[in-house]
Amino acid sequence: MLYKGLAATVALGLLAAKAQAQHVIAHFIAGNAQASDFDWAGNIKAASDLGIEAFAFNVVQDSFDSGLVDRAYDAVAAAGNFGIFLQFDFDQSAWDLGQVGGYITTYGAKPGQFKVNDKILISTFEGGDRASEWSSVIDTDTMLFAPEWSGSKGDTSIFAPAYVGGALSWDVWPHGPSMVSEDIDTSWESILGPDKTYIMGVAPWFYTNLAQYSKNWVARGSGLWHTRWTQVIDINPPIVEIITWNDFGESHYIGPNTCLECIPGNGQAVPDSATPYVQNNPHDGFAQLLPAYIDAYKTKNASTATLDEKLVYVHTTNPVTPAGGCASDGDTALYGGPGGDAIAVDAIDVYVVLNSPATISVTVGGTNLTPTPLQASLRGVNYFGIPLNGANGEIEYTVTRDGNTLISYTESPGISTDCSGYAGLINYNAVTGTVLPSGS
């Protein structure tokens, strides 16, 4: 049976607009850009071309001490038409809030500082246990403080003071096998009330196996990217934060994969122990869907602009059940409970961005998974989750319109039971790819 996440395809009606600006930003791990030859200009241009307006720069104390924050702000200023703001990581640094106030003053005055309604945007990663200390740091006339205190969400009183101008939600992944619900977002909006800014987090995937951090977790990924953007269009938050641009260790990156030819120990942005599950797994397909999703978000799905047509595929490279030939790595679910095939889904996610209707067919290892071609009827992103039903091998994708072939592509090796690249283990990270129409 074909499953289609929250909705078969994006078919949301025209929604009543909230009186607010709308922004799309991306969480950026500062520590993954420490290399002296890091391509700041290339990353900024790639993000800007997708419709991302700023990097939420996740910083630790060493980010300032090493000059990394200065390099980032200088690069943003040189690029122009892009922004950056500081997101203080309380999970990795024991911050002196007095010093933090100085950083905000210094960098808030620099070119490229991202602002919302002419206020400097400031955020955190966790730190809710020190919420009251921000009262002496935040000037509500010039600053919008929207922390990520999801871990302290149970104490709603910490969001009440006037110096807390909003919040970022990190509740973006499914709890167990069921898809994530927008009830989480509406609960955040209820906590904040109508006068505070909700930053809605969206993520494409999650898998991590980093023994040095005692992390071996997986979340359901199939259908997640589409589901969250469908919920964005429905909820219409003032700010959307993509989680993340470059967190390779947790497999929710959408930016350039710096590990496609990485070698353990070379100072790359990818943790050495993550290399086996990241190096051959580009996520650019998630990114290539953003122009259409952002267009729908900012126009309430009412845009008539011509879109760049494309097919994007997303799947794991191996069957996610041990019966598929690979062994489980002993992971558990991100929020607790059984992991592995109790969470992950053996399927191919097919996204087709279209301006007019077309049909889609998918064959795996000679097995036609779509004996009745799928009907993609909408302008925008059409999404289909196609169960593998035990099939493996090369994947053939075909998109036709009015009897003519628009896209025809064979992906090899596709789905493989060879897990030697990951020590015989199931790789729960996704691989993605983008295919353009013939002649594009």
Side-chain angles (χ1 to χ4, degrees):
M1 177 179 178
L2 184 71
Y3 75 90
K4 304 178 182 180
L6 181 68
T9 47
V10 178
L12 299 174
L14 185 62
L15 301 172
K18 297 176 182 177
Q20 60 190 16
Q22 293 168 301
H23 303 285
V24 178
I25 58 183
H27 192 84
F28 188 108
I29 304 295
N32 286 349
Q34 295 183 77
S36 59
D37 61 349
F38 181 77
D39 185 9
W40 284 106
N43 277 260
I44 291 169
K45 184 178 187 305
S48 181
D49 287 349
L50 295 168
I52 295 169
E53 300 165 58
F55 284 146
F57 206 47
N58 178 271
V59 292
V60 297
Q61 183 61 58
D62 184 66
S63 305
F64 295 96
D65 298 342
S66 65
L68 180 57
V69 178
D70 288 313
R71 295 197 296 275
Y73 268 79
D74 288 347
V76 168
N81 200 34
F82 196 74
I84 188 170
F85 68 95
L86 298 173
Q87 204 157 34
F88 295 90
D89 193 326
F90 278 75
D91 192 49
Q92 299 295 321
S93 288
W95 295 99
D96 176 331
L97 268 292
Q99 192 173 31
V100 164
Y103 290 142
I104 292 170
T105 299
T106 298
Y107 291 95
K110 287 183 175 289
Q113 168 65 46
F114 186 65
K115 297 181 179 181
V116 176
N117 296 328
D118 207 33
K119 293 184 178 183
I120 297 166
L121 183 58
I122 305 153
S123 189
T124 71
F125 179 74
E126 292 302 334
D129 57 329
R130 299 179 62 188
S132 63
E133 297 179 47
W134 285 91
S135 62
S136 60
V137 175
I138 300 300
D139 175 0
T140 57
D141 291 331
T142 61
M143 303 172 188
L144 173 59
F145 178 49
E148 187 284 302
W149 288 340
S150 300
S152 302
K153 183 182 178 184
D155 181 7
T156 59
S157 67
I158 63 176
F159 300 97
Y163 58 82
V164 179
L168 161 65
S169 170
W170 212 256
D171 294 332
V172 299
W173 291 282
H175 291 237
S178 299
M179 185 48 69
V180 64
S181 168
E182 66 180 53
D183 290 347
I184 292 173
D185 303 289
T186 56
S187 73
W188 273 106
E189 290 187 315
S190 177
I191 289 169
L192 295 173
D195 299 325
K196 298 197 176 190
T197 300
Y198 177 50
I199 303 179
M200 183 172 172
V202 299
W205 207 261
F206 190 100
Y207 171 62
T208 185
N209 189 356
L210 299 175
Q212 66 269 42
Y213 300 115
S214 300
K215 292 162 53 171
N216 186 7
W217 307 322
V218 65
R220 173 176 171 169
S222 182
L224 176 61
W225 194 229
H226 179 76
T227 296
R228 284 305 280 167
W229 278 103
T230 301
Q231 291 168 349
V232 163
I233 298 166
D234 186 28
I235 291 171
N236 192 31
I239 304 175
V240 176
E241 181 163 328
I242 295 165
I243 304 172
T244 61
W245 182 256
N246 66 337
D247 192 334
F248 302 101
E250 293 187 350
S251 304
H252 44 69
Y253 52 94
I254 66 162
N257 188 341
T258 60
C259 194
L260 290 178
E261 297 180 358
C262 64
I263 301 170
N266 73 348
Q268 67 210 15
V270 180
D272 289 348
S273 54
T275 296
Y277 63 83
V278 171
Q279 63 181 351
N280 296 313
N281 294 66
H283 281 191
D284 58 283
F286 292 124
Q288 292 305 312
L289 293 166
L290 283 177
Y293 280 135
I294 293 173
D295 174 72
Y297 160 53
K298 291 194 172 184
T299 67
K300 318 299 181 297
N301 217 33
S303 174
T304 58
T306 300
L307 299 169
D308 292 332
E309 295 188 309
K310 66 194 72 172
L311 178 147
V312 171
Y313 59 83
V314 178
H315 58 83
T316 56
T317 55
N318 317 121
V320 300
T321 59
C326 306
S328 172
D329 66 355
D331 61 88
T332 58
L334 173 60
Y335 297 106
D341 59 337
I343 296 293
V345 179
D346 253 335
I348 301 171
D349 286 356
V350 176
Y351 301 76
V352 188
V353 180
L354 298 172
N355 291 300
S356 59
T359 59
I360 297 95
S361 299
V362 178
T363 299
V364 178
T367 300
N368 186 358
L369 299 185
T370 54
T372 301
L374 306 175
Q375 303 298 312
S377 59
L378 302 174
R379 176 206 167 275
V381 181
N382 296 260
Y383 164 76
F384 303 92
I386 306 171
L388 286 170
N389 295 326
N392 62 79
E394 290 187 336
I395 307 172
E396 300 176 21
Y397 305 93
T398 306
V399 181
T400 59
R401 175 184 290 144
D402 299 329
N404 300 311
T405 299
L406 182 67
I407 292 173
S408 180
Y409 178 73
T410 299
E411 179 198 357
S412 182
I415 308 296
S416 173
T417 55
D418 178 4
C419 302
S420 58
Y422 192 30
L425 300 175
I426 298 169
N427 184 351
Y428 293 105
N429 190 12
V431 64
T432 76
T434 304
V435 188
L436 303 178
S438 302
S440 296

